[in-house]
Every structure is written in C-alpha cells, then in structure tokens.
Amino acid sequence: MPAIPESARLFMSGLIERARKLKKTIAFPEGADPRVLEAAARLARDNVVNPVLIGPKPPNAPAGVRFVDPSTSPQLSKYTVIYLERRRSKGITQVEASEIARRPLYFASLMVAAGDADGSVGGAANTTAETVRAALHCVGPDPKARLVSSVFIMALQDRSLGHNGLIAFADCAVVIDPNSVQLADIAIATAQTTRALLDTEPAVALLSFSTKGSGKHPEVDKVVEARRIVEARAPELNCDGELQADAAVSEAVGRSKAPGSKVAGRANTLVFPDLASANIGYKLVERLGGAMAIGPFLQGLAKPANDLSRGCAAEDIYNVAVVTALQSERR
C-alpha cells in the first residue's frame, strides 16, 4: 500500500480538531460491521464525535460507543410517524412505515430527521443506491438545493497540485448522466464544499475530452452550456470549461491550451461530465497515483447523511464521520 499522502494527514488533522470542538452525534446503521466498530471506538476514544451504532449491543462493545436496537427502541413509534408523514403521498401505510423504520439504514436516517443525531454514515455493507434512497426518503433534499450529488476530496502525493495537494472530484457516485442544468448544479454545490472543507476559494474546471472547442460533439456542447448556466446563476464563481484534465491541473498545459483562463492549470475542483468518467477517474488517481480518496460526501440533503464504499477501511469511516460532523455545523 502506498504511504498516506502528507496532504491527507494535514487536511484530516485540521478537520479533526474542528470536529472535536463541536461534539456532534453521528449514527452508523451498520453497527455490527467490524470496520464500523473499529472506527466508532476510535472516534469515541479520540473524543471527536459521539458515535451511535444501530443494532444490539455486542458483548465486546467499545467504551464510549452507544448502541440502539430499533426493535426495542422507545423512539420507534416517533420515527414511524415521521416516515409515514414523509411518504404518505406514495401510499405508505402505518404498518409499512413501522416495518421500514425498523431497518437500520432507515432508522439511522430517521434519527437525523428527528434531530436525535446530527448526521449519519452508512454504506459499509449496503449499496450506494440503498444508502442514498434511505437518506432521500427520511432526511429529504435541502429546499435550496436542486439536486443531490456527491463529492470526493482527493488527497494527492504532490502538494503543488490543487489546493495544497487537495482536489474535489464530482460527481463520482450518484448522478449517472447529468444534463447541462444538472452539471451546473453539481458544479455550484461542489464549489460550496470546496470552500467549506478546503477553506479556500474554488477554482472549478468543467471537464471534457475537448478544451475550448478543440473537439466537436454534443457531449462537449453539454459542458459548454453548463458553464453558461453556472455563469448566470453564480457569476461570482471562478469556473471555466470545457477543459481537458491536463489543461485543468497542469500550469504549462493550461497556458498552452487555454491561455487567459483563470482556472486552467490551477483547478482545485473538478466536475466530470458523467458518473462513468468521474468514478473511473477517482479510482485511477487513487490506485495508480497513490492518492487518498476521502469520501464520498453527499451534497444537497437537508441534513448530512453520507455514503461509504463497500470496500472502505475503518480509516475511511473515521474520516467520513469527521466531515459529516462538520457538514452539520454549516447548516
């Protein structure tokens, strides 16, 4: 395994100190997963968040970690009512709502919806589709958001790239084939994440296989139109496209391919044209480039509920919980 990038160490140490001051409560629906148990034990030991694991308390329960069994919880009736109200228009009955509220993924999300937890972190053993569906049904979208999307913070070995070696990648997990409007939504939401987590002004590159008209195709037109929409909706945002990946992150290539661009060669926020390219891109940077992928984090929900990769390690769960705590403070 490659060494953890220094950019990741510095980034997470700063976030951990910020989260430690907030004392947030984070719910974990996969309470029996050994990786979740390990991460929760460390979170409690480090006094970073108050972890609540959904499921029966095991004999070897770590100190400082609270367990809630949905089948015996006195809050189940309250959560059933919340779910019933949110899904009544879909024809859900009282009996169905009670059954669904008992499911750990939904129980954790309902804890967040009810204000009994500040955020949730799931997906270690459930698919992204299952995890996001529970969050959407229980927590719901932010009324100010147009779309729910996702972002990874990629911590690179080379700290001269992005912002001190950190670059936001979106959308790697949720929106499969965004149109121009959705691509603009993703760009604006990811810029907000960059500003909040990286503590810097975003430089957003809308990626394509073309730079400034070098290629002609409807997929290129989609990205160009997305840039126009971003400029209309968020004129203060430093955003450019269409840009090829090398033009976005390499100063020399950026000067050559997109002279005069304020983003080319200095992007810290990369918005991919579709989920396929984003997902492939972040995994290649991680596995071949020695980067550390921190996330994914969902954008556009009323309250934070984040998804993990099923291939995650305890360290990944720990990191996502830290960011989830910070997301809850920004609302």
Side-chain angles (χ1 to χ4, degrees):
M1 291 289 292
I4 294 175
E6 185 65 14
S7 57
R9 295 184 190 277
L10 294 173
F11 176 57
M12 287 308 308
S13 64
L15 296 188
I16 288 166
E17 286 308 310
R18 288 165 59 188
R20 186 175 280 126
K21 297 174 183 177
L22 301 177
K23 307 297 184 188
K24 297 294 184 177
T25 297
I26 305 299
F28 298 83
E30 294 136 338
D33 190 291
R35 297 164 297 172
V36 175
L37 283 165
E38 180 182 342
R42 183 181 161 203
L43 287 163
R45 185 172 62 249
D46 293 351
N47 199 29
V48 177
V49 303
N50 300 315
V52 179
L53 273 56
I54 309 305
K57 185 176 182 179
N60 59 340
V65 178
R66 183 160 63 97
F67 288 80
V68 177
D69 187 345
S71 63
T72 59
S73 171
Q75 303 299 323
L76 180 60
S77 59
K78 179 173 75 171
Y79 297 164
T80 297
V81 171
I82 293 173
Y83 188 80
L84 183 63
E85 288 302 311
R86 291 182 180 274
R87 303 296 292 170
R88 191 187 298 275
S89 64
K90 302 299 181 181
I92 292 292
T93 67
Q94 174 85 23
V95 172
E96 290 170 329
S98 178
E99 188 277 326
I100 292 171
R102 295 172 188 268
R103 300 175 188 174
L105 270 178
Y106 286 81
F107 191 91
S109 290
L110 288 165
M111 284 187 72
V112 178
D116 296 332
D118 298 295
S120 67
V121 175
N126 291 279
T127 67
T128 291
E130 292 166 335
T131 306
V132 173
R133 186 182 301 113
L136 284 171
H137 287 186
C138 301
V139 175
D142 186 330
K144 297 176 290 185
R146 299 166 182 251
L147 184 73
V148 173
S149 60
S150 72
V151 59
F152 274 94
I153 303 300
M154 301 301 296
L156 310 176
Q157 296 286 353
D158 187 347
R159 294 188 62 210
S160 70
L161 297 172
H163 175 65
N164 297 326
L166 303 169
I167 301 183
F169 277 37
D171 172 5
C172 306
V174 178
V175 186
I176 295 175
D177 187 19
N179 57 34
S180 295
V181 174
Q182 292 171 321
L183 208 55
D185 293 334
I186 293 168
I188 292 170
T190 307
Q192 293 171 344
T193 298
T194 295
R195 188 178 289 114
L197 294 184
L198 273 57
D199 196 25
T200 190
E201 278 303 301
V204 183
L206 296 169
L207 299 183
S208 177
F209 59 82
S210 167
T211 298
K212 298 298 183 180
S214 65
K216 304 295 183 183
H217 192 274
E219 286 297 306
V220 176
D221 298 339
K222 177 179 81 169
V223 177
V224 173
E225 179 61 21
R227 188 198 71 233
R228 294 194 188 105
I229 295 169
V230 171
E231 289 173 348
R233 286 177 44 198
E236 77 290 350
L237 186 59
N238 188 17
C239 177
D240 201 6
E242 84 284 15
L243 295 172
Q244 290 166 286
D246 56 353
V249 301
S250 166
E251 286 194 30
V253 178
R255 284 194 301 269
S256 172
K257 290 187 174 183
S261 172
K262 295 181 180 180
V263 172
R266 54 180 68 91
N268 56 29
T269 305
L270 302 183
V271 178
F272 291 76
D274 54 40
L275 188 144
S277 59
N279 192 274
I280 292 167
Y282 102 80
K283 290 183 185 294
L284 286 176
V285 171
E286 180 185 32
R287 299 298 177 177
L288 300 183
M292 182 175 181
I294 304 171
F297 310 112
L298 295 179
Q299 307 174 130
L301 290 170
K303 296 181 179 181
N306 282 314
D307 173 49
L308 299 159
S309 166
R310 282 175 289 170
C312 66
E315 180 77 10
D316 301 316
I317 300 169
Y318 183 100
N319 291 341
V320 172
V322 170
V323 173
T324 304
L326 295 174
Q327 285 180 311
S328 71
E329 184 68 8
R330 298 201 308 271
R331 296 177 184 275

